[in-house]
Amino acid sequence: MLVLGVETSCDETGLAVYHTERGLLAHGLYSQVAVHAEYGGVVPELASRDHVRKILPLIREVMADANCSAADIDGIAYTAGPGLVGALMVGASVGRALAYAWDVPAVGVHHMEGHLLAPMLEDSPPEFPFVALLVSGGHTQLVSVASIGRYQLLGESLDDAAGEAFDKAAKMLDLDYPGGPHIARLAERGTPGRFSFPRPMVDRPGLDFSFSGLKTYTLNTVAKYAGADGLPDEQTSADIACAFQEAVVSTLVIKCRRALEATGLKRLVIAGGVSANTRLRAELERALGKIGAEMFYARHEFCTDNGAMIAYAGAQRLAAGQRESLAVNVRPRWPLDTLPPLDVSTSA
């Protein structure tokens, strides 16, 4: 089965062509970072307009790279949620319209299921079951994964997601959007141990997260050491970035290890934009090595939003018989654990 995947949940237009036997044939991505950078975050209306401009040229480009035509496509997968409703509508409308025009089935994919399954595109994918840490700008969740569609939510952020906290901390230090990579680079020049930031909610049982208090602590520290320009000096800024990153990483590592111990599982998948953080990967590798557990993640380009993960996840559901009706439905909020398992037919 040859599937065209369409991702437009936020500020990246992603397209891919995936074959269930031959694997990923082509993918392309247009990032809107430059569009939103001056605003310090995503502007939903601008995101929707940019998806409209970029999606059709990118579809043509990716299909040409895959050396396929409309007649070759067996199904279309598009992100149906969660995400920005206007952005979702662009991809869903185009995906549903192409499926109708080409007379092929379509399926709406859960954005976070796409992230969760992205490591399956690698040469050594994880086997089920495993624990997944989904960590991005909009989500921080720990999920027990028995198989595709069999998800049990173990814990989630009660306020800011980890990626959102990175963005806000970066803004406090006058760094560009998105904040995660900039905080990470600045932290490399920081002095470990100069500042000790709190590890939220690690001193109580459970697997939920909270990063709002850490955000406030960071803001107060920046204000305390700010100079005449409202910012700390360069070294102090680096030390603050270092302490902030260590607090987030340490919190995530503690909760991941706790989730593995609670479930008795020995495999951890990390997915989403923050999973590209090299410090997080290194600390998880070290912590998991102590308990004999393995870690899996996608290549860097598939950590952030992309069409390949949507094409893969959609291909699995299309192959299992899942179909959408002609109606274009998107779900800006969509709990992951409400998805049907693949052995339950959802044919429309």
Side-chain angles (χ1 to χ4, degrees), residues 142-192:
L142 279 165
V143 182
S144 177
V145 180
S147 62
I148 296 177
R150 294 189 179 277
Y151 308 130
Q152 178 188 359
L153 182 64
L154 302 175
E156 62 185 337
S157 179
L158 304 179
D159 40 62
D160 291 358
E164 184 181 4
F166 268 105
D167 288 339
K168 291 180 177 178
K171 192 170 185 179
M172 296 172 198
L173 294 170
D174 198 31
L175 302 175
D176 289 338
Y177 171 86
H182 295 287
I183 286 285
R185 283 193 290 270
L186 184 59
E188 290 177 357
R189 307 200 303 269
T191 306

Side-chain angles (χ1 to χ4, degrees), residues 9 15-16 21 34 57 73 76 80 84-85 87 93 136 142-143 155 171 191-192 229 240-241 243 249 289 308 334:
S9 64
L15 272 296
E21 294 179 358
I73 298 297
I76 295 179
L84 302 175
V85 64
S93 298
S136 65
L142 279 165
V143 182
K171 192 170 185 179
T191 306
D229 60 353
I240 291 172
V249 166
W334 190 3

Side-chain angles (χ1 to χ4, degrees), residues 94-144:
V94 170
R96 182 61 265 183
L98 289 178
Y100 181 77
W102 296 347
D103 193 26
V104 297
V107 65
V109 174
H110 192 292
H111 179 73
M112 297 312 294
E113 180 173 68
H115 276 303
L116 186 153
L117 296 177
M120 299 298 182
L121 292 163
E122 302 304 316
D123 292 336
S124 299
E127 295 181 1
F128 297 106
F130 55 77
V131 170
L133 171 67
L134 304 177
V135 57
S136 65
H139 298 81
T140 304
Q141 297 178 326
L142 279 165
V143 182
S144 177

